[in-house]
Every structure is written in C-alpha cells, then in structure tokens.
Amino acid sequence: MIPDDLDRLVDKLDLESKVRLLTGATVWRTPAEPAIGLEPMVTSDGPAGVRGEGWDERRTSLSLPSATALAATWDESLAQSMGELLAVEARRKGVHVVLAPTLNLHRSPLAGRHFECYSEDPLLTGRIGAAVIRGIQSRGVAATAKHYVANDSETDRLTLDARVDERTLREVYLAPFEAAVQAGVWVVMSAYNGVNGVTMSENELLAEPLKGEWGFDGVVVSDWGAVRSAAASARAAQDLVMPGPDGPWGEALVAAVRAGEVPEPVIDDKVRRLLRLATRVGALPGSPAPSASAGDLTTPSTLSPSAGSPTTGSVDDRPDRALLRRTVAASTVLLRNEGGFLPLVPARLTRVAVIGPHAARPRIQGGGSAGVYPESLVTPLAGLRTALNGHAEVHHATGVALGGLPASLDVANARNPRTGEPGLLVRLLDAAGAEIHAEHRLTGRLPEPEGPIHRAAAVEVRALVLPDHAGPWDVAAAGWGRLELTVDGRVMIDETVPRHTDDPATVHLAPPYRTERVTFEAGRQVEIVMRRELVPGGGRACVLAAAPAPADAAAELAAAVELAGSCEVAVVVVGTTEQAESEGVDRETLALPEGQDELVRAVAAANPATVVVVNSGGPVAMPWRKEAAAVLVSWFPGEEGGNGLADVLLGRAEPGGRLPTTWADRALAPTVPEQGVLEYAEGPHLGYRGWLREQDSPAYWFGHGLGYTTWAYEGLWAPERVAPDRPVRVRVTLRNTGRRAGREVVQVYLARPQDHERPVRWLAGFAAVTAEPGERVEAVVEVPARAFQHWAGAWRTAEGEVSVLAGRSAADLPLEAVITVSYS
C-alpha cells in the first residue's frame, strides 16, 4: 500500500477513532477498525519461542535455544533460520508481531535477563539480531527490536535512570538498534527505564536518531505498562501503548489534542505508522503480505520444504527439531579440553555416570515473560541414554539437592479429583464460593487461569497426589491477596499476601510462595487444595506445588561420588536456578547455587575423567575449572538440548560455539542504582573492553571456544592505506593442523593505542571458515567503515595508524597489521 493510500485511510477517521487505535484492545491485541478494514494485530513474546496470546500449557510451542546460545554460534545464517522458525511458529499461532529480538547488551554478568540478550559486544549483537530480524520478517511477521535503550539490568528496571554519555550511547548501546533499522525492522519497543533524566516513552531518542537520522518508518510500541503520561509521551515519538484496553492515552489524549497540547498531525503520523505495519503483516485489505492464518505454514528455508507445519511429523524425523538440535551443537562452547579428552568414543565406554540436579531437570529457558510451554523436552540424561544405547549403561545421581521452591504439580504426580485424569482441577468461584467455571489443567503453575475471570472472586486449584515414598514433603501455594492451602482438609496456610511491587513480571508471573512441610505416608493419597482471592492489580497468577523435602546433602554427595568412581566417565551438569536468572531480578553473585561447586570438585577428585556441562544463560564462576578434564557451556538450549549435547560429547557434531560474553569470577559493572540513578561510569569499556584495562584476567575471554581440531594462523593481509568512511576487506590465512574437519571463527579487532578514549581494542568483524585436516583456507573479513569511526557530535574518522589484529578471541590474536587512515 502506497503512502497516499495510507493518508486516505487516516482521513476517514475522526480524532476519537484515531486515538483509540493507539492503545491495545487487549493485553496482546491491537484494535480493529471496520470502517477502514483494519483487523486486530496479535503480538506475542518470542525471543526463544512464540507463546501466542496468554499463558496456557495446553498450547505448546517450540522452545528454541536462548539468545546467548544463538549469539554463541557467531553464525548469521543459522540466526536467520531461527528467525524464520519463529515466524513459522508465529503464523501457526495467528501472531502478527513477535516481540524479539532483545538487543540490550551484557553490560554486567549479574544482569538477570542476560539470557534474553545476545552479547556484550555491539557489533556481534547487531549482526546476530539483524539476521534474526531478516528471518522473522521474510515470512510477513513483524520483528520487534527491544528494549530501546540502555535497559541492561533488572534492579528497579521500571524507574531507574541510566546515565550514559553521548559518545558511549552512540558507539555502544544504540549501535545494535541502528543495525536493526538498517535490516528493516518493522517495530521498535521503548523501554521502561529512563535515559539521562527522561523516561524512554517520552525520550527524544525516539525521534533522533531513531525516526530522523536512521529513517525508521515503523511503529514504536511501549513495553507493557511503560507509558505513564498522556501529552508528554504522545508528543514524543511513541506510537502505540500496550497493553489495553486501559491506559494513559484514550480520552486524556483526545482532550490533550483538543487543548492544543498535542498537534493532531502528530496523531496522524502514529496512525499512519500503525497502518503501514498492518499492511506489512497482512492486517489490512490489499496488503501484499500473507495473512497470519494457520492455513499457510512453511518451514524455514534451511529445512525440507515437504516437512509442512512445525506441529506435524514424528519427533525423530521433523526438520524443525533437527534444526534445533543442530543449533544446540553449534552454540555449545568447549571452554577446556585437557589433552583432547573429548570427544568420547562410545565403543570404549561401558558405564557412564551422569550427575547433577540439572541432568534430569535442566533449565531449557530463562524465567519471565519470554517463557513458553515446550511440546517436548530432551534432558541431558535422556539424550545420553539414547545416544549410548547398545554401547554403555548410563546411571544417574543427583549429587546435590537444590533448595528453593518446590516444583509445581503436573501430570506426572497429580490427578484431577473430578475426572481422575493426570493433571489438576481449576475452578473460578464467585463471592459466595459457588463455582462459575471449571477446567482441567496440566500444571499447577497458572499465570492466567481461563474462564469468566471478570465475574470471579477467587481461583481454586485441586489435585490428588499419591506420594511415592514416606517422609517430609514441602507443599506450597503462591498468589497475591488472601491465600489458603489445605491438605486433606487440614489448613496449612491462611494468609493475606500484599502486593509489594509494580513490576509486571513479578505481579503476573512470579507471585511469592508460601511453603509448609508435611509428613506423607507412601501410597496414601492426599488431596491438596489452594485458593486465592482475586484482588485489584494482583493479576490471576497462582501456583500449587508439592515435592519431597530435599534429601540429606551428605548422602546425596556421597552417592554421586561413589557412582562417579565406578564409571569410566562422569558427566556433571550444573547450572543456575530460576531464582538466579530471571526477568525482574538481577543476580547478587556469579557463584553456582547450593553446593554445586563442591559437587564438581568431589566428582573430579573421584574420577579424573570428568566433564562438566554448565546449564546457564550467562556467566557463572567456575573455581573448579582446572580440575575437570573438559568444561562445556550448553546455555539454556531449548527442548532439543539433551540430543544436541550428546552429539557434541560423542563427537557426532563439533562444539561450534564461541563465547559472546567474557566469563569471569566477578563483575566489573554494577546493576544496582543509587538513589534511582545507574551510572554507566565505565563508558564504552564494558565486557572484554573493561577486562583489557584490568590487572588480572578473566577465566575465559570474549570469543573463546575450542573445537575438536587445532588451527595455525599463518597470515594477515590488510591494505596499507585507506580513505576514511570506506569499508575494508581483511584476509586471514589459516590451516587446520588437527585430525578432524572443523570450523573456526576468525575474529578481527582494531586498536588505536594513541587514542586513550577508545577501548584498548574492539571487535571490527568476523567470519567463519571450515577445513579438512591439513587444509589451508582464507577467511575474508569485512570491516565496516563505522569500525574506524568515533562519535563527536557526528561520526568522525581520525587520521593515522590503526592496528588490525586477527585471531581466536579478544586476547588470542597472533596476527597483526597496520593500516594508515588518510584523507590524502
């Protein structure tokens, strides 16, 4: 649809109709406008899967590797395929706008939402994010670059004021968003926080550089609940307020326009942008984009076109699952491999120990609004058992019992007392306690129970539980307002839980638990019932949970050590918990929770052939890293994590990942604001750039990662002299010196030792090569003109010498050349 057509549509609407279009009709939908044929547009969270509207475990989704995992591939083609897969999932679920990718940076490893962001480096983040955008939008689904800008930590995220100098803002934090606009992104999300004194939904950065200098012609949508004013935010370049139908615009904005506080042409521009988005995603008649119906499903271009919908086919032959499995291997980072211990040879194994709490119950995704309900899950234990079937026995020991919250009940351990089916009974009750709605659910974690919630006064969850062993159990309920929990009619909890936060991730997804310990008899069925009142502003979320109390820690550890000593190889899977890595909260420490360090050390002492697999979204401290034969990072790998990990351990696939973030035992940048202000005092020196100025070194540098072969870097060619504002092509010659074919990510960094305001060095480009044993190959690395530039009120290129360094990580750069930048 051409601009004149959009103008004619805008002209058909009166002021009230135009303003109505600028606030969501529901939590996830934009309004329709029959007068011009505009259909609702559906949004959905989506960085690691597309959930669709609402939270319902009965509507499953493909669970993709986390953003950190995807960035660890350093593979734009694979990232684009993941974007296409997100679009396929979106179209299957009737979603027009996927709220991804997240382009905030890993400023601090303590940031709780680290897993949802790509990298600490703006270039790597921008290139991977742009590839995901291209993939999503290639299928007529809108991508959303978020959260614009400097939303890089979770503590007080709704209100903190990020103080960032202009040069750092331009060179570092805005750079991935500029790359997103260059990639043609259709939606940008404004963040909750303020920047330099102004909340982002009112900030002039939405106009310049976003819509002005960069030419962004799409929609600026708010983060959910981030708009707090009428006239001020409307005068800014904020276009769409979510969620709805209530919000600060509506009648207040109509009044502001009529009072002359907001010019009506400003409203027209917002509507025009919304209609342009509708044409792109097929929500306006005559749009060139395909509609988001479920009847036109295709798989990503990297998959077999005959595969059909991602919900068809068996688990073993489905190409979407094969793509996820391949991505797990491509993202897995081999940090240490003493003496070439990996890969394991199945024919040489008879007994393998798989140890750790995350081996049988891994974290496949981070906590918060990006979560999905996976249609299936392959654990590390299950993946290895399948892969070693017919070769070796695989035995499991937990080793350490993670404390924290008991797991919610589900189909594995609960039955609906009304029907007897595996699962739970959920009822909505009126003020008199009468049932007005009932449904069967598959889990006791219920962010959004369905039914006529507007008529309900309370939510009740009931389950029959048959304890499989006697002893103490922890039973728990969660929700805001009056909370009751009974076991066989005996009241265990009766408490009013006041809401203590406005953070929507906490209010709607993570209400506080109340836990009691109860002694159960083995084989004696009990009925557990929780009831919570529905209070204004308290959401609908409720949880019913029960699990055996943690076992004796010494006994668990001793059993794991004994098992490890009886096997040829021990694979220890450790990681973070949802309390450690989740939206809405930052970490206080990089240490692994609750005895996992002791577990690794004890197992490694009992069996030198120990492999440690770290299951986390971001860096953790690894004080034992030199005590294990091998150390791998598997990130939050999505639903195919166990199969992909087995492929890597057994050498069926190479560990293709390289660190997108420096891993260290401490953080250089804080996440906690002081009096509401978070100073980005480090300037552009975040991540590896900051560590290059420290006296000590991190555990593993940005870009580090080993494969199953070795490489010799033999030559670097770069032009001796270049004109400013021109890209440069660098050539790196290297040779595979190992016994296996392999893939290497060649990284190129620039340095200007004479410019003390610049980082010591910074990533300027990268390219991957593959080679057979003994083969010599050439990597051609494109270095953009921007890599030579700095911000001084405008982009400038200083004349003089620039060092070009090439190698395997930010600290392993054996090759160097010098380029002279000159205007003459």
Side-chain angles (χ1 to χ4, degrees):
M1 188 170 287
I2 61 176
D4 287 347
D5 294 329
L6 295 179
D7 290 340
R8 282 193 290 271
L9 292 178
V10 173
D11 289 343
K12 290 181 178 181
L13 304 174
D14 59 20
L15 177 61
E16 287 81 0
S17 298
K18 288 185 285 192
V19 168
R20 186 180 63 82
L21 292 179
L22 302 180
T23 295
T26 68
V27 173
W28 302 108
R29 291 184 173 227
T30 63
E33 180 48 76
I36 57 174
L38 176 65
E39 300 173 2
M41 288 182 283
V42 177
T43 65
S44 172
D45 287 305
V50 181
R51 189 177 58 251
E53 291 184 87
W55 292 79
D56 192 326
E57 76 286 355
R58 297 165 295 187
R59 298 192 287 268
T60 60
S61 306
L62 286 177
S63 175
L64 281 60
S66 65
T68 44
L70 191 54
T73 68
W74 293 59
D75 187 333
E76 291 161 277
S77 176
L78 196 53
Q80 183 163 333
S81 295
M82 287 291 101
E84 291 181 45
L85 189 55
L86 286 172
V88 169
E89 282 283 273
R91 289 171 53 70
R92 178 172 71 86
K93 289 174 171 281
V95 168
H96 302 80
V97 181
V98 175
L99 303 178
T102 302
L103 299 180
N104 302 114
L105 296 181
H106 297 169
R107 174 176 171 266
S108 171
L110 294 171
R113 211 170 178 178
H114 202 288
F115 57 87
E116 198 176 310
C117 312
Y118 292 114
S119 167
E120 69 187 19
D121 184 82
L123 178 73
L124 178 59
T125 297
R127 284 179 59 171
I128 297 297
V132 171
I133 288 165
R134 290 193 296 269
I136 293 173
Q137 295 186 171
S138 69
R139 302 305 181 94
V141 176
T144 305
K146 67 182 189 181
H147 310 85
Y148 187 86
V149 63
N151 186 185
D152 308 298
S153 55
E154 296 296 285
T155 304
D156 297 338
R157 64 178 180 148
L158 303 185
T159 56
L160 77 81
D161 180 25
R163 298 286 174 86
V164 195
D165 68 84
E166 185 180 12
R167 182 171 181 176
T168 299
L169 196 59
R170 282 286 192 152
E171 294 180 7
V172 179
Y173 294 99
L174 284 171
F177 291 94
E178 184 175 7
V181 174
Q182 290 172 347
V185 73
W186 294 342
V187 181
V188 170
M189 180 185 289
S190 60
Y192 286 121
N193 58 282
V195 173
N196 296 331
V198 182
T199 189
M200 276 311 305
S201 61
E202 302 172 13
N203 202 293
E204 62 183 10
L205 290 170
L206 297 178
E208 292 293 346
L210 179 60
K211 290 184 175 179
E213 177 187 327
W214 297 348
F216 174 63
D217 67 353
V219 170
V220 175
V221 63
S222 71
D223 205 340
W224 268 229
V227 174
R228 291 119 177 173
S229 66
S233 58
R235 282 194 300 268
Q238 181 71 50
D239 298 317
L240 176 63
V241 173
M242 292 296 286
D246 300 319
W249 284 8
E251 293 180 1
L253 182 51
V254 171
V257 173
R258 289 191 169 138
E261 298 173 22
V262 179
E264 189 163 355
V266 169
I267 304 298
D268 292 346
D269 178 69
K270 299 177 192 299
V271 175
R272 191 178 297 109
R273 289 171 177 271
L274 191 74
L275 297 180
R276 184 179 296 119
L277 175 63
T279 68
R280 287 168 166 166
V281 301
L284 260 180
S287 304
S291 66
S293 69
D296 178 22
L297 293 173
T298 54
T299 52
S301 57
T302 52
L303 306 181
S304 166
S306 63
S309 164
T311 58
T312 64
S314 72
V315 168
D316 293 332
D317 64 10
R318 281 177 35 190
D320 51 3
R321 298 291 294 271
L323 176 60
L324 294 180
R325 181 172 180 164
R326 180 162 64 88
T327 304
V328 172
S331 67
T332 299
V333 182
L334 180 59
L335 296 178
R336 172 180 170 84
N337 194 22
E338 189 67 15
F341 179 73
L342 291 178
L344 303 173
V345 180
R348 299 177 185 173
L349 302 173
T350 58
R351 282 174 58 88
V352 174
V354 180
I355 294 169
H358 290 70
R361 297 182 66 91
R363 294 194 69 195
I364 64 169
Q365 59 188 337
S369 61
V372 300
Y373 296 101
E375 57 182 32
S376 63
L377 166 61
V378 182
T379 68
L381 178 60
L384 276 170
R385 278 182 170 157
T386 299
L388 289 172
N389 185 33
H391 294 283
E393 298 176 357
V394 176
H395 300 273
H396 175 241
T398 302
V400 59
L402 297 181
L405 306 175
S408 58
L409 293 171
D410 57 28
V411 293
N413 55 13
R415 289 189 298 112
N416 183 325
R418 182 169 291 178
T419 66
E421 300 172 84
L424 304 92
L425 173 66
V426 178
R427 303 196 303 153
L428 299 184
L429 309 175
D430 65 16
E435 179 182 301
I436 58 176
H437 176 77
E439 61 182 352
H440 178 76
R441 299 299 293 260
L442 309 180
T443 176
R445 183 177 180 269
L446 300 158
E448 292 182 341
E450 291 193 342
I453 202 77
H454 61 284
R455 296 197 288 117
V459 179
E460 180 189 87
V461 185
R462 288 179 176 264
L464 297 176
V465 177
L466 188 67
D468 55 6
H469 67 270
W473 283 59
D474 290 333
V475 295
W480 307 101
R482 178 76 176 275
L483 190 66
E484 299 176 2
L485 178 70
T486 63
V487 177
D488 279 344
R490 183 160 56 104
V491 176
M492 308 303 302
I493 296 169
D494 186 353
E495 181 180 346
T496 297
V497 181
R499 198 186 82 182
H500 58 73
T501 178
D502 291 326
D503 192 317
T506 303
V507 172
H508 298 289
L509 300 177
Y513 278 57
R514 297 295 184 264
T515 304
E516 287 290 331
R517 185 154 290 177
V518 183
T519 299
F520 286 158
E521 299 177 22
R524 181 182 177 276
Q525 180 175 276
V526 295
E527 183 177 44
I528 307 176
V529 181
M530 74 147 290
R531 183 180 294 187
R532 64 149 293 195
E533 69 171 335
L534 296 171
V535 296
R540 302 183 234 169
C542 50
V543 181
L544 178 59
D552 178 73
E556 291 274 12
L557 181 60
V561 170
E562 181 179 1
L563 175 63
S566 70
C567 297
E568 291 105 344
V569 174
V571 178
V572 186
V573 187
V574 295
T576 58
T577 63
E578 189 162 347
Q579 290 71 51
E581 281 190 284
S582 184
E583 180 181 354
V585 60
D586 290 320
R587 288 193 276 173
E588 296 180 358
T589 175
L590 295 178
L592 286 169
E594 303 183 64
Q596 294 183 83
D597 289 335
E598 182 184 1
L599 171 65
V600 172
R601 283 185 154 145
V603 170
N607 187 340
T610 291
V611 180
V612 183
V613 179
V614 180
N615 174 206
S616 70
V620 300
M622 297 177 290
W624 36 259
R625 59 185 176 270
K626 295 181 180 179
E627 300 169 34
V631 180
L632 291 154
V633 179
S634 67
W635 310 104
F636 293 152
E639 62 188 63
E640 278 292 313
N643 283 331
L645 176 63
D647 290 341
V648 168
L649 290 173
L650 302 180
R652 296 173 180 174
E654 187 175 19
R658 304 293 185 266
L659 289 180
T661 295
T662 303
W663 279 48
D665 294 339
R666 62 186 176 92
L668 298 183
T671 59
V672 179
E674 294 186 10
Q675 297 182 331
V677 174
L678 186 60
E679 294 280 358
Y680 283 43
E682 71 282 356
H685 306 286
L686 71 158
Y688 69 91
R689 302 174 179 201
W691 279 103
L692 287 167
R693 305 197 306 170
E694 295 291 305
Q695 295 297 315
D696 56 339
S697 296
Y700 298 103
W701 285 92
F702 172 82
H704 173 73
L706 307 174
Y708 286 155
T709 189
T710 55
W711 298 87
Y713 279 73
E714 298 182 340
L716 168 63
W717 178 90
E720 294 182 358
R721 184 177 298 272
V722 299
D725 308 322
R726 295 293 180 88
V728 172
R729 180 170 291 176
V730 174
R731 300 180 184 275
V732 180
T733 304
L734 61 164
R735 183 167 50 89
N736 182 347
T737 56
R739 298 180 179 179
R740 286 178 55 125
R743 173 180 181 267
E744 176 75 334
V745 178
V746 178
Q747 302 162 42
V748 170
Y749 295 77
L750 300 183
R752 276 186 179 270
Q754 69 276 17
D755 185 349
H756 299 297
E757 292 187 17
R758 294 297 298 260
V760 174
R761 54 182 168 268
W762 60 95
L763 182 69
F766 60 90
V769 294
T770 58
E772 295 295 322
E775 184 182 2
R776 181 177 285 106
V777 290
E778 182 181 76
V780 179
V781 181
E782 301 288 343
V783 178
R786 178 63 59 82
F788 294 90
Q789 297 174 335
H790 66 278
W791 181 261
W795 290 107
R796 312 286 186 192
T797 304
E799 292 189 275
E801 292 186 345
V802 178
S803 294
V804 181
L805 304 103
R808 312 191 71 242
S809 75
D812 184 1
L813 300 165
L815 302 179
E816 183 174 0
V818 175
I819 292 177
T820 299
V821 179
S822 174
Y823 282 91
S824 59

